[in-house]
């Protein structure tokens, strides 16, 4: 049995004509309900001058062009041309990134090295049935910690160089806590992030790499057999990623909604698996149901309706999507805002205390960049980091602002 969330329902939320247009565009190209949604858009009131930039901001170019091509006579010709050109460029970039992903996967397969790609173009294939449907900035690849050095060597052979060089003690700590390493292609500048864990321990424990690999699925895409995360893991990784960044792009909500539709709104299995951040799941479901009419099972709908924090964070995310300026990770206060958002997702005093302790005390690359300590004194970073953050707090803003990547 499934049910959509009734309070507030997708139709009860007051949105401007432009916002309604964006939500109508955030659907699969073959969505039979899209025509109904577009019929409800008051075309004469749409702020057409803002639409092309908003589609880019929200990663909706490729999804939107299929729908808007049917109603192109309703918009200024110059706007349609801009949208069409932007969508073509975004699709070409996504397909080129997909081709690079397949090149990397083939090389790892030849070497017999187990690897799990996630997010990026493969999420477009899973959510929309189209590798070119969502723009991606990089490729995310997960390997076992024991395979990291071999994987890094393979990427080097493929033309990628590691972005960070860490001292041995810092490297061991970073691999244990954060575990994401950027590699940039020497010629194209493409970015690959090699992970030994999908989420930093600063945000709480998640599924282990071994668990994700054990639950992965074998699929064939464009003639290439590869593995992707299991359906429950894929959904969980999506909603946690959205929460980490305060749901700053509508396409992330769209992908979540399509994953929900594929499972007919049933996310009970996620709660049975006891993923550590239940509120992140509830928040992702609420946004998908509120904004894009995604189905949600009755039990999950009841959980969402009964959680005041989820309701407040969903309101904040909707405001951020439609009313805030374009997010800038380097803007003063942005990192602190993300941490406050994720702090509120923690359920219970103990979970919140752990979250604060890890962000305030656990060292990060910025700590050892600013102060180089010999390996025997590495433990002292737990003392110097709070002092550094306190100085930043006292001198710059009313909230602690760790560096944008890891604090």
């Amino acid at each position: 049995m499934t049910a959509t969330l009734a309070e507030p329902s997708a139709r009860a939320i007051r949105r401007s004509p432009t916002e309604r247009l964006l939500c109508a565009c955030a659907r699969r190209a073959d969505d039979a309900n899209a025509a109904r949604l577009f019929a409800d858009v008051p075309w004469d009131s749409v702020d057409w001058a803002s639409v092309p930039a908003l589609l880019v901001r929200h990663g909706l170019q490729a999804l939107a062009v299929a729908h808007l091509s049917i109603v192109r006579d309703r918009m200024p010709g110059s706007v349609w041309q801009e949208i069409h050109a932007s969508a073509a460029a975004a699709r070409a970039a996504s397909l080129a990134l997909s081709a690079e992903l397949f090149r990397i996967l083939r090389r790892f397969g030849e070497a017999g090295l187990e690897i799990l790609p996630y997010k990026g173009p493969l999420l477009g294939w899973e959510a929309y049935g189209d590798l070119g449907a969502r723009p991606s900035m990089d490729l995310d690849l997960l390997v076992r910690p024991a395979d990291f050095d071999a994987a890094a060597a393979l990427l080097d052979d493929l033309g990628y160089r590691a972005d960070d060089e860490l001292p041995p003690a810092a490297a061991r700590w970073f691999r244990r806590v954060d575990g994401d390493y950027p590699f940039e292609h020497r010629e194209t500048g493409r970015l690959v992030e090699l992970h030994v864990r999908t989420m930093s321990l600063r945000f709480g424990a998640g599924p282990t790499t071994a668990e994700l690999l054990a639950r992965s699925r074998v699929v064939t895409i464009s003639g290439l057999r590869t593995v992707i995360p299991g359906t429950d893991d894929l959904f969980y990784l999506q909603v946690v990623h959205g929460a980490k960044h305060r749901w700053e792009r509508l396409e992330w909500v769209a992908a979540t909604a399509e994953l929900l539709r594929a499972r007919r709104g049933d996310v009970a299995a996620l709660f049975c698996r006891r993923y550590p951040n239940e509120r992140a799941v509830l928040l992702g479901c609420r946004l998908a149901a509120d904004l894009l009419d995604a189905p949600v099972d009755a039990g999950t709908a009841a959980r969402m309706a009964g959680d005041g924090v989820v309701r407040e964070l969903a309101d904040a995310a909707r405001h951020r999507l439609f009313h805030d300026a374009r997010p800038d990770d380097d803007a003063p206060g942005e990192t602190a805002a993300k941490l406050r958002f994720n702090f509120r997702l923690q359920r219970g005093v103990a979970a919140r205390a752990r979250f604060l302790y890890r962000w305030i005390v656990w060292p990060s690359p910025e700590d050892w960049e600013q102060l180089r300590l010999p390996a025997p004194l590495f433990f002292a970073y737990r003392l110097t980091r709070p002092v550094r953050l306190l100085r930043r707090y006292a001198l710059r803003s009313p909230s602690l602002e760790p560096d944008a990547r890891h604090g």
Side-chain angles (χ1 to χ4, degrees), residues 280-302:
V281 177
L282 294 176
L283 177 59
C285 290
R286 177 147 197 150
L287 288 170
D290 284 356
L291 296 177
L292 302 176
D293 289 315
V296 178
D297 67 85
T300 300

Side-chain angles (χ1 to χ4, degrees), residues 76-399:
S78 60
V79 171
W80 166 251
Q81 292 171 6
E82 187 175 353
I83 291 172
H84 186 272
S86 176
R91 173 173 288 278
S94 294
L95 293 177
L97 195 63
S98 301
E100 179 66 1
L101 173 62
F102 292 162
R103 183 175 80 100
I104 293 171
L105 293 178
R106 289 190 184 96
R107 182 69 183 88
F108 273 73
E110 292 166 358
L113 201 59
E114 195 171 18
I115 187 171
L116 182 65
Y118 66 105
K119 295 192 300 186
L122 290 187
L123 179 57
W125 179 83
E126 183 76 2
Y128 312 116
D130 182 356
L131 288 168
R134 68 185 307 264
S136 303
M137 301 298 295
D138 54 27
L139 297 173
D140 293 277
L141 307 173
L142 179 68
V143 296
R144 299 180 190 276
D147 293 335
F148 175 83
D149 291 337
L154 282 179
L155 287 176
D156 184 74
D157 289 343
L158 288 166
Y160 289 87
R161 63 167 177 263
D163 191 47
D164 295 326
E165 291 291 338
L166 300 177
R172 288 191 294 272
W173 173 260
F174 185 79
R175 187 173 300 189
R176 173 191 162 194
V177 172
D178 297 303
D180 57 317
Y181 297 81
F183 287 76
E184 183 178 333
H185 196 277
R186 298 180 182 90
E187 296 178 2
T188 66
R190 285 198 182 100
L191 185 65
V192 168
E193 286 208 344
L194 190 62
H195 300 254
V196 296
R197 54 186 315 114
T198 56
M199 59 184 291
S200 171
L201 279 178
R202 301 174 198 278
F203 287 96
T208 68
T209 300
E211 289 171 340
L212 291 170
L213 286 167
R215 295 196 292 256
S216 63
R217 295 170 288 151
V218 178
V219 297
T220 301
I221 306 174
S222 298
L224 176 70
R225 283 172 57 84
T226 185
V227 295
I228 62 175
T231 54
D232 289 350
D233 292 326
L234 180 69
F235 189 87
Y236 183 74
L237 294 175
Q238 173 66 5
V239 296
V240 168
H241 178 261
K244 177 182 175 182
H245 296 281
R246 294 200 295 155
W247 290 97
E248 64 190 33
R249 298 176 71 179
L250 187 55
E251 189 278 322
W252 296 347
V253 183
T256 303
E258 296 302 337
L259 295 177
L260 271 172
R261 291 188 183 100
R263 54 197 303 145
R264 301 191 179 187
D266 183 6
V267 294
L270 275 73
F271 301 117
C272 292
R273 284 197 189 280
R274 299 188 180 278
Y275 287 104
N277 200 332
E278 177 185 300
R279 273 189 173 147
V281 177
L282 294 176
L283 177 59
C285 290
R286 177 147 197 150
L287 288 170
D290 284 356
L291 296 177
L292 302 176
D293 289 315
V296 178
D297 67 85
T300 300
R303 288 178 187 238
M304 290 189 293
D307 194 317
V309 171
V310 168
R311 181 170 60 252
E312 291 172 12
L313 292 179
D315 290 342
R318 284 195 297 268
H319 188 278
R320 176 174 171 79
L321 283 168
F322 296 125
H323 301 293
D324 285 0
R326 181 168 184 164
D328 180 0
D329 285 340
D330 296 325
E334 177 59 26
T335 299
K338 290 178 179 178
L339 296 184
R340 287 194 297 270
F341 190 93
N342 282 271
F343 171 77
R344 297 199 66 199
L345 281 173
Q346 310 303 309
R347 192 185 294 279
V349 174
R352 289 187 169 190
R354 283 194 299 270
F355 184 89
L356 287 176
Y357 174 80
R358 289 168 174 174
W359 279 101
I360 294 174
V361 176
W362 283 7
S364 73
E366 189 176 22
D367 294 295
W368 46 75
E369 285 172 6
Q370 295 194 4
L371 177 65
R372 292 298 179 111
L373 296 175
L377 294 179
F378 189 80
F379 71 91
Y381 282 118
R382 293 177 181 246
L383 304 176
T384 63
R385 176 177 172 82
V387 173
R388 178 175 70 80
L389 294 179
L390 182 61
R391 286 176 177 171
R392 177 172 290 187
Y393 165 82
L395 295 177
R396 296 190 183 182
S397 80
S399 52

